[in-house]
Amino acid sequence: MILNHRGARKTALVFGGSRGIGAAIVSRLAEDGHAVAFTFASRADAAEALSEAVRARGGEAHALCADSADPAAIRDAVRAATENLGSLDVVVVNAGVMRLGTIDAVPLDDLDLMIDVNVRGVFLSIQAALPHIPDGGRVVTIGSCVALRTGMPGASVYQFTKSAVAGMVKGLALDLAPRRITINNVQPGPTDTDINAGAVEMLSERSPLRRVADPSEVAGFVSYLARAEAGFVTGASLTIDGGFTL
């Protein structure tokens, strides 16, 4: 069990934690000894299965239904998390959506959804959680390697939203520095999740390592940033892509 400076069990809140990279982060932080709350917008069955798996290993997990496109839902999720956990030593913002389409074919609804979840939702999640993060706490956002280093046809909206998060993290690092709260942006490359279903073989062929990432590898990176020894890393966008963008 990891204890904070107050001698209590460390806690974590993961926005978007029921599947894929988010679920791996929840599992890893729980294995590291954190009591974890996490949000999900759909697939209540997956969220409950994850909670049960964490509890079966002796951990503590609380699944909270919250759509990161809804500011009120974000605030309610933070309120519920703190009611269960108290203060939040680690906050991870993983919730995100991707809708593909070239500029002539992107519906306004898709544009608004990606901006609302991938940019506004990230900012509002951190803003809502901040009063409950103690000095010396940790914030991690989950971006994408396409943000600044590469791209692909039909992903311009997704790419600019992830680029916005990379810029946001730089500014927030300065805002949070007086309280020694660090914030960093993890930018995964192709990873074996639902979003890449059917494309793993193709993506593996493009990778210098001839494979995609396992979600647990991204979670391990987040685990490092959540620990005390990462206390001098802040405002950084750190890519974990197996050389995909070299």
Side-chain angles (χ1 to χ4, degrees), residues 165-191:
V165 171
M168 183 193 307
V169 163
K170 289 184 179 182
L172 292 182
L174 299 177
D175 289 349
L176 301 178
R179 293 182 53 201
R180 295 179 292 103
I181 297 172
T182 66
I183 178 169
N184 292 287
N185 180 43
V186 172
Q187 299 185 144
T191 306

Side-chain angles (χ1 to χ4, degrees), residues 145-146 149-152 189-190 202-209 211-212 239-246:
C145 74
V146 306
R149 301 185 62 185
T150 186
M152 59 184 179
M202 178 272 292
L203 292 169
S204 297
E205 290 174 354
R206 291 184 56 191
S207 169
L209 296 180
R211 68 177 181 89
V212 300
T239 297
I240 173 171
D241 70 351
F244 189 80
T245 54
L246 293 177

Side-chain angles (χ1 to χ4, degrees), residues 51-140:
S51 296
E52 290 178 358
V54 169
R55 290 192 289 266
R57 295 191 296 267
E60 179 180 351
H62 304 271
L64 308 170
C65 184
D67 183 349
S68 286
D70 181 351
I74 290 172
R75 293 191 297 269
D76 288 345
V78 170
R79 186 179 303 110
T82 55
E83 286 174 355
N84 284 301
L85 304 178
S87 63
L88 303 172
D89 297 295
V90 180
V91 173
V92 181
V93 188
N94 174 68
V97 294
M98 181 171 71
R99 301 286 188 271
L100 297 177
T102 55
I103 188 169
D104 57 310
V106 176
L108 182 59
D109 286 349
D110 284 357
L111 174 65
D112 287 344
L113 177 63
M114 283 188 275
I115 292 173
D116 288 350
V117 175
N118 297 357
V119 183
R120 187 183 70 176
V122 174
F123 186 89
L124 293 179
S125 295
I126 298 168
Q127 186 181 61
L130 185 58
H132 308 282
I133 302 174
D135 291 358
R138 300 284 185 265
V139 179
V140 181

